[in-house]
Amino acid sequence: MKKTKHDQTPRDNLPVSVRKPELPPRPQSLPSSPPRLSPRPLEPTDVPPPPASVQPESTLAPGPNRERDLYQIVAQVGEGTFGQVYKARNTQSGKYVALKRIRMESERDGFPVTAMREIKLLQSLRHENVINLHEMMVSKGNVYMVFEYMDHDLTGILSQNNFHFTEGHLKSLCHQMLAGIAYLHQKAVIHRDMKGSNILINNQGILKIADFGLARFYQKRRRTDYTNRVITLWYRPPELLLGATVYGPEVDMWSVGCIMLELFTKKPIFQGNDEIHQLETIYKLMGTPSVEEWVGFSDLPWYELVKPPEKIKNRFRSAFQKYLSPTALDLAQKLLEYDPAKRITASDALDTSFFKVEPAAVLPVDLANLEGEWHEYESKMERERKKRIPQDMEVS
Ligand code: ADP
Ligand code: MG
């Protein structure tokens, strides 16, 4: 799967108030002996006060254990926009966690606003299909979010060919993703960055939605203005590409539709290079929308700039019928509905016939037999390693 800069979360485009200054260069690799973290207790000035549910464990409190290394870093598993993610072992319980480091270097005004927002949101959520933030930790001047560890992410797992998902597995993944997003929407949270690398899976076959860096609470009763510079380009719905700033949870449902098709075909379906090309790519498959089909289409802010030059027919079914069953196709089509007002909601999607017909959903528990742990990061490293092989051979 080819990656371009357009596959990146559009965080550079955040409003000026949260725009990040240039970050310092980061080291290319981890030191050969993994750093050990000696946690110290949280201080009120370090992070926003955590509620009881994420209070640091007693081992982090001052006392005889204070200087013990609670977490030992095992490997890097993610290179985030705002900091690295590590797999680490809790030396007391033996359990694995993911440590997401919050970049503080470039912050002049204390704790980063975006990280603060992410923590607050995560603290209010608890669902089997949403990542669980265990606690916050401060070690040697770094602040970490401590998460339950997940063996893979969707981008990583789809990038390698050693595991075959059956139709039942794919149904289960779709169901779990929809259950997670239905919960978020019911809690009035829009995720705004649904894509493969933000969807984690563990070896028990459980899927969890992660990365709440762009998420926000929305007004359920009153539609309000938000920034439209959200959602990674390939997963961004047409209304945002056409400049809409008044939107709701439907934006996530478009992304879910893209991810569902990616699960079945193993590659991202709309791979545009920029906003205009992204719209053209969508038109080529889904046809150009008519004003009858999408009321309000021509009123969108950038309609005149990017309106379709000619009429294109929808060829969605013919393109995907060899990958998806008829009921799966029906659901995908409802998720990729042009008019956000007509786009299916997560709770209605869970009720569609796709989940009622055979084959039944099956948790992909066989993932436990798969060699390696596959996140976007490892698959990127693997690709780079493969690219280097011919060169290395030339040298020797
Ligand atoms: P960013 O906001 O920088 O994209 P993410 O939260 O998406 O940060 O984390 C970056 C990557 O790290 C993810 O794509 C995923 O591969 C990995 N990752 C994040 N959280 C976990 C976790 N709890 N367990 C395992 N890997 C994780
Ligand atoms: Mg991410």
Side-chain angles (χ1 to χ4, degrees):
M1 172 170 29
K2 195 165 152 262
K3 292 267 162 191
T4 67
K5 68 184 162 61
H6 309 291
D7 187 37
Q8 303 284 309
T9 295
R11 270 164 233 201
D12 293 347
N13 298 325
L14 286 174
V16 178
S17 58
V18 292
R19 189 185 285 272
K20 309 262 308 177
E22 280 288 298
L23 296 167
R26 61 178 184 86
Q28 284 302 297
S29 59
L30 276 177
S32 50
S33 66
R36 293 193 137 233
L37 302 175
S38 310
R40 68 172 168 82
L42 293 172
E43 283 163 16
T45 47
D46 289 330
V47 287
S53 60
V54 293
Q55 278 293 350
E57 289 170 2
S58 55
T59 46
L60 291 180
N65 282 337
R66 182 179 164 172
E67 290 310 317
R68 274 198 57 178
D69 299 326
L70 182 59
Y71 293 111
Q72 184 175 19
I73 289 181
V74 178
Q76 181 168 356
V77 293
E79 178 57 64
T81 326
F82 291 131
Q84 294 90 348
V85 180
Y86 300 100
K87 175 181 183 179
R89 200 173 70 89
N90 182 319
T91 52
Q92 291 182 352
S93 67
K95 290 206 173 116
Y96 290 103
V97 294
L99 300 179
K100 183 167 171 177
R101 190 168 82 83
I102 298 171
R103 278 206 172 108
M104 303 284 284
E105 299 92 335
S106 46
E107 285 300 321
R108 258 167 281 149
D109 314 321
F111 200 77
V113 189
T114 44
M116 183 98 84
R117 191 196 246 184
E118 184 171 358
I119 296 160
K120 272 200 189 145
L121 261 155
L122 280 162
Q123 285 174 341
S124 70
L125 305 172
R126 187 160 288 267
H127 187 272
E128 156 123 300
N129 302 116
V130 174
I131 196 72
N132 186 27
L133 175 67
H134 288 324
E135 62 189 20
M136 297 297 299
M137 185 185 71
V138 182
S139 172
K140 297 182 183 142
N142 286 314
V143 182
Y144 295 87
M145 297 184 197
V146 185
F147 289 100
E148 60 184 316
Y149 181 70
M150 302 292 284
D151 305 279
H152 318 280
D153 69 34
L154 261 188
T155 303
I157 208 95
L158 292 178
S159 72
Q160 51 83 53
N161 296 318
N162 300 331
F163 189 80
H164 173 71
F165 286 112
T166 64
E167 206 186 327
H169 291 154
L170 296 174
K171 192 172 283 189
S172 165
L173 294 179
C174 289
H175 194 273
Q176 295 187 67
M177 171 166 64
L178 284 165
I181 207 85
Y183 169 78
L184 295 181
H185 292 173
Q186 179 245 319
K187 297 281 277 185
V189 171
I190 328 181
H191 186 280
R192 304 200 299 182
D193 200 14
M194 287 291 284
K195 60 173 172 180
S197 60
N198 290 338
I199 296 179
L200 310 178
I201 308 177
N202 65 20
N203 279 342
Q204 287 75 54
I206 306 292
L207 173 151
K208 298 190 192 242
I209 298 172
D211 194 354
F212 286 75
L214 278 181
R216 63 161 301 146
F217 288 107
Y218 72 97
Q219 299 268 346
K220 276 200 173 178
R221 297 222 178 96
R222 197 167 50 86
R223 297 243 138 187
T224 20
D225 251 333
Y226 307 120
T227 169
N228 66 5
R229 305 300 226 150
V230 287
I231 307 188
T232 299
L233 189 63
W234 294 352
Y235 302 86
R236 201 178 300 165
E239 65 272 23
L240 295 188
L241 293 165
L242 282 150
T245 55
V246 178
Y247 59 84
E250 322 81 49
V251 295
D252 286 337
M253 300 317 294
W254 177 275
S255 315
V256 167
C258 299
I259 300 165
M260 177 177 176
L261 288 167
E262 187 169 336
L263 274 170
F264 282 87
T265 61
K266 290 195 122 198
K267 59 171 197 279
I269 49 162
F270 301 128
Q271 303 188 26
N273 300 325
D274 54 40
E275 275 89 343
I276 295 184
H277 186 230
Q278 185 66 26
L279 270 172
E280 286 167 3
T281 314
I282 296 171
Y283 294 154
K284 266 195 200 142
L285 196 69
M286 307 308 294
T288 42
S290 63
V291 275
E292 295 81 54
E293 182 187 0
W294 182 0
V295 181
F297 173 43
S298 55
D299 299 330
L300 286 165
W302 301 335
Y303 173 76
E304 286 301 330
L305 279 174
V306 292
K307 69 178 169 200
E310 80 227 85
K311 201 166 159 20
I312 305 172
K313 279 219 305 243
N314 179 317
R315 49 175 210 92
F316 173 76
R317 287 205 167 240
S318 58
F320 289 110
Q321 63 193 5
K322 63 173 183 285
Y323 299 102
L324 280 80
S325 68
T327 55
L329 273 178
D330 287 346
L331 172 56
Q333 190 153 32
K334 287 177 180 151
L335 290 162
L336 297 178
E337 176 72 54
Y338 271 120
D339 186 347
K342 293 190 202 147
R343 203 171 294 151
I344 195 164
T345 64
S347 59
D348 285 350
L350 285 166
D351 216 24
T352 53
S353 47
F354 175 50
F355 297 112
K356 292 175 188 147
V357 299
E358 292 290 322
V362 182
L363 285 181
V365 286
D366 313 341
L367 276 171
N369 305 328
L370 176 66
E371 200 182 316
E373 293 170 18
W374 295 97
H375 303 88
E376 183 180 46
Y377 183 78
E378 289 97 331
S379 37
K380 206 158 100 191
M381 294 294 131
E382 173 86 354
R383 267 201 312 277
E384 280 169 17
R385 193 182 61 80
K386 282 191 178 146
K387 253 194 260 160
R388 275 199 310 270
I389 291 174
Q391 274 177 12
D392 294 350
M393 280 160 65
E394 248 172 50
V395 172
S396 59

